[in-house]
Amino acid sequence: MSRLFALALTAGALVFAASSDGNKCTEFSPCSREGYCDANAMFCMWDLCDPTKSYNATSCWQPEGCLDQTIEFDSSSDVVPIRQYSGNPNTNALVSIFEPDNSKIENGKLVLDMTYDSAQDKGFGTTVHSSHSFQYGTVTARIKSASIAKGVVSAFIIRSDQVGDEIDFEWVGKNPNSVETNVFYHDILNYSNSRYFDIGDTSAEYHDYTIVWDPDFIQWAVDGKTLRTFKREETYNKANDEYRFPAAEGRVGLSIWDGGNSGPKGTEEWAGTPTPWTPNTVYQMFVESITIKCSGSNPASSDTAEPQSSTIANSDSSSSSSSSSSSSSNANETTNEATDTSGDETSDSKPSDNGDSDSKSSSGGDSGNEGTDSVSLASSSSSSGTDIESGSEEQTEGNESPAPSNTGEPVAPSGTGETAVPSGTGETAVPSATDAPTESTVPGQKCKVVTIVRPL
């Protein structure tokens, strides 16, 4: 997913968290996300917050647990921008995790917009995550995809950003009649895990898309008809003596992003390219309802009825941020027989979207992340880097391990010493070693500005 992050930093308010020498956040800004620190939901929310770089073991918020619920989008409070999120999952069912926020509730539906970003010459989309965590159970979302033009990607996923486990439905504008089902374990790229199904024009009508996640199998269904069953017993990797089957607690997510103008060749070929844009073009994904039924071991407790918070030693410490921020097969039940036999795959980077928080290559030879994602920090001048898209199923070759979007894949920026507020649509920022901070003046405050590029 393609994301533009605009981050404004108040000097001294945010503290640089992660670096090669193992520095952590301070008690004043205890939560680490993508190598930067602060004390609000954008940084402290579970699975976005990196506990290894945060101030202490209790800095990151705890997983909220699963809650049986049906969200019908009859209230504007069903989705909230992350900066306005109090930490109480019972107040807001979904959180829009990047800025600017392109989500809205309109006529009883959740609408995720992707608009044209002239500065990046590509689309700027949206990622929303469930405010309750989720591990095993059934999720059904009634969706009309945004597949009205090549390059436009819509996604419905269950994902753990910190671990890299993911189960998804995705739709690409290149094949509007097709829906892709896929699964990832620890962000390891395995092309054999993907399956496509022709179900008719996914952008013209609503369909009920269901994911059943059990400790021993995963099923995908459309309108009550099972398309595919993926079994844990078929994922054993002898070289690593492990089952490569998603098991980590995560969140339910929905997103729209620009795969056609992402940059990586494999992603663009998968999504269709180029994505057609005019200054006034808006692509929209519609969600009529989401039903979550839990069967895991971590149900929501009464403790989540109160907002979560992180301990801050000095309440006067504050921060300010300004933001600008898959071949087709029939719909008969299919059992996935492919197992990954390689023990040395590199891991895929995602965040956006991605939500992500959270792209594909058309062949095993092409690799890269889906789309591009840049972070610009409210500056009068900013350095440039190569955009890498996150929130996808694509990965870099060799031994490179970019951090994940769509989606909790922190990577420490190199040598900037600055703190940034992630604001975009689902990718993790991977700063360039040449990115140097500059200072600019914002009325009433002194800002440090850093430009970073992140894959998701």
Side-chain angles (χ1 to χ4, degrees):
M1 334 165 136
S2 202
R3 318 295 190 221
L4 174 66
F5 296 114
L7 316 178
L9 312 180
T10 301
L14 299 178
V15 182
F16 179 64
S19 66
S20 58
D21 61 2
N23 291 337
K24 291 190 174 186
C25 297
T26 70
E27 56 188 338
F28 300 101
S29 298
C31 301
S32 174
R33 180 180 175 190
E34 300 166 20
Y36 296 99
C37 305
D38 203 342
N40 56 46
M42 184 176 283
F43 290 79
C44 296
M45 193 172 179
W46 177 80
D47 206 38
L48 294 178
C49 181
D50 181 0
T52 68
K53 297 179 178 67
S54 295
Y55 176 62
N56 61 28
T58 62
S59 297
C60 295
W61 295 355
Q62 297 301 301
E64 303 83 0
C66 189
L67 179 70
D68 288 348
Q69 60 179 318
T70 295
I71 310 161
E72 296 183 324
F73 305 109
D74 50 6
S75 170
S76 60
S77 65
D78 285 338
V79 61
V80 65
I82 196 165
R83 283 199 175 279
Q84 298 176 23
Y85 180 52
S86 69
N88 183 351
N90 296 327
T91 300
N92 310 106
L94 301 172
V95 180
S96 181
I97 66 170
F98 293 103
E99 296 176 333
D101 171 29
N102 280 343
S103 69
K104 59 188 174 184
I105 293 177
E106 192 172 80
N107 300 321
K109 298 173 179 64
L110 172 66
V111 184
L112 305 184
D113 287 354
M114 180 167 66
T115 57
Y116 180 64
D117 174 15
S118 59
Q120 299 295 310
D121 190 27
K122 62 182 180 181
F124 185 95
T126 314
T127 298
V128 299
H129 283 179
S130 60
S131 57
H132 280 91
S133 55
F134 182 80
Q135 185 181 34
Y136 304 129
T138 302
V139 184
T140 298
R142 187 164 179 79
I143 295 170
K144 186 161 65 174
S145 80
S147 295
I148 63 172
K150 59 186 178 181
V152 182
V153 183
S154 315
F156 163 35
I157 70 175
I158 300 169
R159 177 169 172 83
S160 164
D161 280 344
Q162 291 293 333
V163 175
D165 286 359
E166 177 175 323
I167 307 163
D168 67 42
F169 276 108
E170 287 189 285
W171 304 263
V172 296
K174 177 182 178 181
N175 300 307
N177 293 340
S178 178
V179 61
E180 177 184 10
T181 64
N182 214 339
V183 60
F184 294 87
Y185 170 79
H186 290 194
D187 277 331
I188 295 172
L189 182 63
N190 183 347
Y191 293 101
S192 65
N193 283 345
S194 181
R195 297 287 187 278
Y196 297 78
F197 300 90
D198 190 339
I199 63 171
D201 191 342
T202 63
S203 67
E205 297 180 354
Y206 284 94
H207 294 278
D208 291 318
Y209 297 91
T210 299
I211 297 173
V212 180
W213 183 22
D214 182 90
D216 295 318
F217 65 87
I218 299 165
Q219 287 183 330
W220 293 259
V222 175
D223 297 331
K225 183 175 183 178
T226 299
L227 300 180
R228 175 187 180 191
T229 299
F230 180 89
K231 299 179 180 180
R232 178 179 181 272
E233 65 185 20
E234 297 171 349
T235 68
Y236 182 68
N237 181 273
K238 186 175 181 180
N240 294 79
D241 189 25
E242 65 183 4
Y243 288 93
R244 294 188 167 181
F245 184 88
E249 186 171 8
R251 295 188 188 278
V252 177
L254 298 149
S255 64
I256 179 174
W257 54 278
D258 188 349
N261 296 344
S262 65
K265 182 181 178 181
T267 301
E268 292 186 343
E269 289 178 346
W270 166 73
T273 190
T275 307
W277 287 105
T278 70
N280 298 319
T281 300
V282 178
Y283 295 107
Q284 295 183 311
M285 174 183 179
F286 299 90
V287 185
E288 200 168 73
S289 65
I290 303 172
T291 298
I292 299 173
K293 296 182 179 180
C294 314
S295 64
S297 58
N298 185 20
S301 69
S302 58
D303 292 341
T304 61
E306 295 299 328
Q308 299 192 58
S309 63
S310 295
T311 302
I312 306 174
N314 185 345
S315 61
D316 292 334
S317 177
S318 62
S319 65
S320 151
S321 165
S322 67
S323 58
S324 68
S325 326
S326 156
S327 53
S328 170
S329 70
N330 60 35
N332 293 327
E333 180 173 351
T334 304
T335 298
N336 178 24
E337 300 176 352
T339 55
D340 196 351
T341 58
S342 163
D344 59 357
E345 296 95 328
T346 57
S347 82
D348 175 45
S349 292
K350 297 195 169 199
S352 290
D353 256 358
N354 108 184
D356 111 51
S357 216
D358 283 60
S359 69
K360 287 66 175 171
S361 171
S362 59
S363 68
D366 287 324
S367 68
N369 292 350
E370 29 171 282
T372 58
D373 189 351
S374 76
V375 183
S376 106
L377 308 174
S379 66
S380 54
S381 65
S382 62
S383 58
S384 62
T386 301
D387 287 348
I388 302 178
E389 174 60 359
S390 63
S392 77
E393 288 74 3
E394 185 127 12
Q395 98 182 23
T396 52
E397 297 177 345
N399 295 322
E400 300 177 12
S401 299
S405 117
N406 266 144
T407 310
E409 327 60 282
V411 169
S414 24
T416 62
E418 305 306 326
T419 317
V421 178
S423 80
T425 54
E427 282 50 64
T428 306
V430 176
S432 165
T434 59
D435 289 339
T438 59
E439 295 189 9
S440 66
T441 302
V442 175
Q445 54 187 242
K446 186 176 182 181
C447 292
K448 297 247 181 179
V449 178
V450 180
T451 298
I452 57 181
V453 178
R454 67 187 304 259
L456 190 54

